[in-house]
Amino acid sequence: MKKRLFFAILVLGFSGIVVQILLLREFLVVFSGNELAIGIILANWLILEAFGSLFVGKRVENLKEKLEGFVGLQLFFSLCLPLTVYSIRILKELIGVIPGQGLGMLTILYSSFIIFAPLSITHGALFTFGCKLYSLHSVSEGKASSIGKVYVHETLGTIFGAVTFTYLFVPFLHSIQIALGVALLNSLLCLLLVKSSLRKSLAG
């Protein structure tokens, strides 16, 4: 189980950076954005992810069925990703902007905040929850040591995700394909974790 949790953290880092860059690109197309728009979009992502990590993640830690809770959050993240990309693409229609009309900074602020919320909060909660799960399966290690290992693996996943997005995803896939691919990867990870949990229960 420990190895599968490490893989889950790698996928979490991979998914986080791919989703962040993907949604930023989509928003910039809609907003015809500049440096200020980029700053607002990234700030919203980080604020929402911090909220998910600090508050939502801490609450779901108290669930009795922790692995099932983690899998549930992972599936919700997978479902939200393609829906978020689609929401950005129809954003101008949703808020009634005519073709060629620019969007103000206030519109960029609240629209990106609302659209990001489900995805960013869930991703932040998954990191906190992942740290808790790994520490529970690493009783021989200190808490600080186990959290440090989670950080390292998430960072490795982030680096791999950035390289993959730049050299494999962008040249060959469009945004919806990337979103569906990342969602599928996370869904397969959920199956892997559930399978491992069932095998452990049957063995016990």
Side-chain angles (χ1 to χ4, degrees):
M1 174 61 78
K2 211 160 114 176
K3 290 182 179 179
R4 297 194 180 193
L5 285 174
F6 264 146
F7 182 65
I9 299 300
L10 283 170
V11 171
L12 187 63
F14 175 90
S15 302
I17 192 65
V18 169
V19 168
Q20 189 174 338
I21 300 172
L22 176 65
L23 298 185
L24 178 60
R25 283 163 52 93
E26 289 293 311
F27 265 123
L28 290 179
V29 171
V30 173
F31 295 149
S32 302
N34 51 31
E35 290 82 358
L36 181 56
I38 293 173
I40 291 173
I41 294 167
L42 290 178
N44 277 338
W45 175 273
L46 293 173
I47 290 169
L48 289 165
E49 185 147 346
F51 176 83
S53 180
L54 289 171
F55 297 101
V56 180
K58 289 292 184 182
R59 292 183 181 229
V60 294
E61 274 184 1
N62 298 322
L63 293 173
K64 290 184 179 179
E65 303 295 336
K66 289 182 170 53
L67 183 62
E68 288 77 2
F70 183 83
V71 168
L73 278 178
Q74 197 87 13
L75 288 173
F76 182 73
F77 177 84
S78 302
L79 176 64
C80 285
L81 178 51
L83 293 177
T84 301
V85 174
Y86 179 71
S87 298
I88 295 172
R89 294 201 163 191
I90 63 170
L91 178 60
K92 286 191 174 182
E93 297 176 20
L94 291 175
I95 61 180
V97 176
I98 61 175
Q101 179 182 349
L103 298 176
M105 290 301 160
L106 182 60
T107 304
I108 296 174
L109 176 64
Y110 78 75
S111 60
S112 60
F113 188 89
I114 293 171
I115 290 176
F116 273 165
L119 204 60
S120 302
I121 291 174
T122 304
H123 190 263
L126 280 168
F127 179 76
T128 304
F129 210 168
C131 289
K132 181 66 174 180
L133 273 177
Y134 182 77
S135 66
L136 289 174
H137 287 83
S138 307
V139 291
S140 60
E141 301 178 16
K143 186 175 181 180
S145 175
S146 63
I147 292 176
K149 288 185 177 180
V150 171
Y151 269 107
V152 169
H153 278 73
E154 199 217 13
T155 301
L156 291 174
T158 300
I159 294 170
F160 180 67
V163 173
T164 303
F165 186 89
T166 303
Y167 295 105
L168 292 179
F169 288 172
V170 172
F172 303 109
L173 302 172
H174 59 67
S175 297
I176 296 296
Q177 289 175 323
I178 296 171
L180 291 174
V182 174
L184 178 61
L185 175 63
N186 281 271
S187 299
L188 291 174
L189 172 64
C190 291
L191 291 175
L192 187 68
L193 291 174
V194 169
K195 182 180 177 181
S196 178
S197 177
L198 288 173
R199 185 181 299 170
K200 185 178 179 181
S201 298
L202 291 174

